[in-house]
Amino acid sequence: MSLEDTDLVRVRALSLFRALDSEVFTRLMRGAFLQRFPRGSQLTSQGQPDNFLFVLLDGAIELEGSSSDRESTLALLWPTATLGLASIVLDGPSLMSARTTKASLILMVPGDAFRQALGENAALGRAVAEELAGCFSGAVRSLKNCKLRTARERLISYLLAQYERQDGGSIIRLPCRKRVLASLLGMTPENLSRAFASLTPHGVEIDGATVTLRQPDALAMLARPDPMIDSDVGEGFSQAERERRRGKRLAMAAL
Amino acid sequence: MSLEDTDLVRVRALSLFRALDSEVFTRLMRGAFLQRFPRGSQLTSQGQPDNFLFVLLDGAIELEGSSSDRESTLALLWPTATLGLASIVLDGPSLMSARTTKASLILMVPGDAFRQALGENAALGRAVAEELAGCFSGAVRSLKNCKLRTARERLISYLLAQYERQDGGSIIRLPCRKRVLASLLGMTPENLSRAFASLTPHGVEIDGATVTLRQPDALAMLARPDPMIDSDVGEGFSQAERERRRGKRLAMAAL
DNA sequence: CGGCGAATTGACGGACGTCAACTGCTGTGG
DNA sequence: CCACAGCAGTTGACGTCCGTCAATTCGCCG
């Protein structure tokens, strides 16, 4: 599939590419192409070489780590996130396995062209550095989330973070199946179910993927949300994606 | 304290600075200075602004995360590691608290000068991107270590990683107090003590900070070490530091 | 309508944290 | 130089959190 203008504009607006000269940008995009993937497509496999930088334009991606037959969801990606930047920069193996959880539209940028441009262009270098610093920051927050909180606290913090982020008052739509959420939060589906049940006395009502928080303040007392952890935990490591959300919040605030 | 030539040579050899023009390097170093810190000095505090890039030339640093009166050691840094790169690049708050665990010699590079040079110099941009990609990779490995293994498996993997890394045959010297190691591995000191005890039937002998592995192969069966996790887990997120170790291993292999 | 997977619920067990007591080391000051 | 305070480490008893296994229900899609 060729690059349509509307898609190109969206890519151009990403923090990774925004500061680039038109000439460098077009050179990068010359080798790039758009691809549609059905739900469940494996994009990368942990430990395998990674030859493309992915930009998720539409759909959803699950990042998963595995070791000796155990698996865990490490993050979920939404538009407009990037994937694989660290592997491309280091020319090393993929850190995580990635697979689409919805039919997705993905821009694929060849890694070698990207690496070459990186060595030649200071603006790209800076943008990549900022993006990777954001990835690192996200991973450190996930690590703290995992080491400093119990499973129940992680669930509460997750719900409160979604509550802050989504606009619909005290009503939240879970963005993924519960078993995926459980893995993301580092627990079993059974335990997630019980944790949800234990929150009903605190004003949490669950109906399928719809969760209503009747007493968010009471929940905050149970988990002590922490801005140095909760901004965007487990919601992908991509700075571009964070920016998109920040922009959305600002746009809403302006109304 | 002023920059001595011998120290300057060590800094110049770091992957972060190696590819730089002499002119850019000297400009960066013009505002930099060396400082000695006694054991226990607080270098950064989680959430506080971070105005220096630290380069640990001598000593040791513990990185710690905290949230609502709980604390956890996230990594240990040895020479020649860098600290604070992500915060400097993003001009944001410190992600973790850092404090020296030994008397330390540290090069402090002003953050604003560094940020400015980053925007102007492609070689620096690339070096920073690589360093941060390494940091991200390290953090992701720590996250997998935490989510995919039990406490006992983390200990075994840690011992095996140290065993691979240190030269002294099957004898390991723990690089930190056991309570710090426990926190790094995500367990309590009591539990670490019990985990050690449970390994004696498998050829692990403990004498203070000295650990002897009589049957490393048997240990590997108990934990299934994984190269996509274990390279340098919890041993700092700095690429420069990893390189130093790789160099050491290569130098040893050459003997 | 039938089957499959997601989600829930219960019973059970294991891993790990907490509390307390005890030991040994270390550094410090009389 | 030694006494002693204080902390690191170990060990035991106990409780809690959470994983495992199994049974059941529900919704979805063939």
Side-chain angles (χ1 to χ4, degrees):
Chain A
M1 193 181 304
S2 70
L3 268 167
E4 311 265 336
D5 277 355
T6 56
D7 296 315
L8 210 63
V9 167
R10 292 174 62 196
V11 174
R12 189 77 169 105
L14 294 179
S15 65
L16 242 189
F17 300 114
R18 190 183 307 147
L20 293 187
D21 300 336
S22 293
E23 184 247 324
V24 179
F25 181 70
T26 17
R27 182 147 46 91
L28 272 182
M29 288 307 135
R30 190 156 304 149
F33 55 95
L34 274 180
Q35 186 149 350
R36 292 200 175 278
F37 291 93
R39 181 169 179 279
S41 309
Q42 197 78 20
L43 299 175
T44 66
S45 295
Q46 177 180 307
Q48 298 304 115
D50 219 4
N51 296 316
F52 289 98
L53 173 69
F54 300 85
V55 180
L56 176 63
L57 293 174
D58 208 17
I61 296 175
E62 176 183 7
L63 300 185
E64 191 177 65
S66 62
S67 183
S68 61
D69 84 3
R70 267 168 285 191
E71 300 181 332
S72 183
T73 299
L74 300 179
L76 304 176
L77 302 187
W78 316 107
T80 318
T82 68
L83 166 63
L85 187 56
S87 322
I88 295 299
V89 167
L90 294 177
D91 201 4
S94 191
L95 300 173
M96 308 173 256
S97 301
R99 115 179 122 236
T100 56
T101 56
K102 290 184 186 174
S104 298
L105 178 65
I106 295 176
L107 175 71
M108 303 185 61
V109 184
D112 43 8
F114 192 89
R115 257 191 307 277
Q116 197 192 338
L118 178 59
E120 298 166 356
N121 187 279
L124 181 59
R126 173 177 210 132
V128 170
E130 287 180 4
E131 175 83 7
L132 283 170
C135 292
F136 177 54
S137 164
V140 168
R141 278 197 302 268
S142 290
L143 187 59
K144 288 196 233 174
N145 194 39
C146 182
K147 290 187 79 175
L148 293 168
R149 302 212 264 225
T150 66
R152 188 169 186 251
E153 289 169 337
R154 291 195 293 274
L155 172 59
I156 296 174
S157 304
Y158 180 85
L159 293 177
L160 289 173
Q162 296 291 113
Y163 167 76
E164 293 289 333
R165 183 171 308 141
Q166 297 185 9
D167 43 354
S170 51
I171 296 179
I172 295 170
R173 294 239 6 129
L174 298 180
C176 58
R177 294 195 184 283
K178 290 211 184 87
R179 61 188 307 95
V180 174
L181 178 60
S183 181
L184 177 65
L185 295 177
M187 52 212 241
T188 57
E190 295 95 324
N191 202 14
L192 175 64
S193 201
R194 276 185 266 269
F196 265 125
S198 81
L199 293 181
T200 43
H202 303 280
V204 178
E205 293 171 16
I206 302 103
D207 175 26
T210 303
V211 181
T212 309
L213 309 186
R214 300 227 174 276
Q215 314 165 30
D217 297 351
L219 283 185
M221 298 296 293
L222 293 178
R224 296 263 189 169
D226 181 331
M228 288 303 293
I229 300 183
D230 293 304
S231 342
D232 314 287
V233 153
E235 290 275 341
F237 302 117
S238 163
Q239 184 70 7
E241 189 191 359
R242 255 187 291 282
E243 270 194 24
R244 192 198 105 262
R245 278 200 297 272
R246 199 152 50 220
K248 203 164 113 184
R249 276 200 294 276
L250 289 175
M252 267 163 39
L255 291 182
Chain B
M1 195 180 303
S2 69
L3 268 166
E4 311 265 335
D5 278 355
T6 57
D7 296 314
L8 210 64
V9 167
R10 292 174 62 196
V11 174
R12 189 77 169 103
L14 294 179
S15 65
L16 242 189
F17 301 114
R18 191 182 307 147
L20 294 187
D21 299 337
S22 292
E23 185 248 324
V24 179
F25 181 70
T26 18
R27 183 148 44 92
L28 272 182
M29 289 307 135
R30 192 156 302 150
F33 55 95
L34 274 180
Q35 186 148 351
R36 292 199 175 278
F37 291 92
R39 180 168 178 280
S41 309
Q42 198 78 21
L43 299 175
T44 67
S45 295
Q46 177 180 309
Q48 298 304 114
D50 218 4
N51 296 317
F52 289 96
L53 173 69
F54 300 85
V55 181
L56 176 63
L57 292 174
D58 209 18
I61 296 176
E62 177 184 6
L63 300 186
E64 192 176 63
S66 61
S67 182
S68 61
D69 85 3
R70 266 167 285 191
E71 301 180 331
S72 183
T73 299
L74 300 179
L76 304 176
L77 303 186
W78 315 107
T80 318
T82 68
L83 166 64
L85 187 56
S87 322
I88 294 298
V89 167
L90 294 178
D91 201 4
S94 191
L95 301 173
M96 308 173 256
S97 301
R99 116 181 120 235
T100 56
T101 56
K102 289 184 186 175
S104 298
L105 179 66
I106 295 176
L107 175 71
M108 303 186 62
V109 184
D112 42 9
F114 193 88
R115 257 191 308 276
Q116 196 193 339
L118 178 58
E120 298 167 357
N121 188 277
L124 181 59
R126 175 177 207 131
V128 169
E130 287 181 3
E131 176 83 8
L132 284 170
C135 292
F136 177 55
S137 163
V140 169
R141 278 196 303 269
S142 290
L143 186 60
K144 288 195 231 172
N145 194 40
C146 182
K147 290 186 79 174
L148 293 168
R149 301 211 265 225
T150 66
R152 188 168 186 251
E153 289 170 336
R154 290 196 294 274
L155 172 59
I156 296 174
S157 304
Y158 180 86
L159 293 177
L160 289 173
Q162 296 291 112
Y163 168 75
E164 294 289 333
R165 183 172 307 141
Q166 297 186 9
D167 45 353
S170 51
I171 296 180
I172 295 169
R173 294 239 5 131
L174 298 179
C176 59
R177 294 195 186 283
K178 291 212 184 86
R179 59 174 38 262
V180 174
L181 178 60
S183 181
L184 177 66
L185 296 177
M187 53 214 258
T188 58
E190 295 94 324
N191 202 15
L192 174 64
S193 201
R194 277 185 267 268
F196 265 126
S198 81
L199 294 181
T200 43
H202 301 96
V204 177
E205 294 172 15
I206 303 102
D207 176 25
T210 303
V211 180
T212 309
L213 309 185
R214 300 226 174 275
Q215 314 165 30
D217 297 352
L219 284 184
M221 297 297 293
L222 294 178
R224 296 265 189 166
D226 181 331
M228 287 304 292
I229 300 183
D230 294 303
S231 340
D232 315 287
V233 153
E235 291 274 341
F237 302 117
S238 161
Q239 184 70 7
E241 189 191 358
R242 255 186 291 283
E243 270 194 22
R244 193 199 103 263
R245 279 200 296 273
R246 199 152 50 220
K248 204 163 113 186
R249 275 200 294 276
L250 289 175
M252 266 164 39
L255 291 183

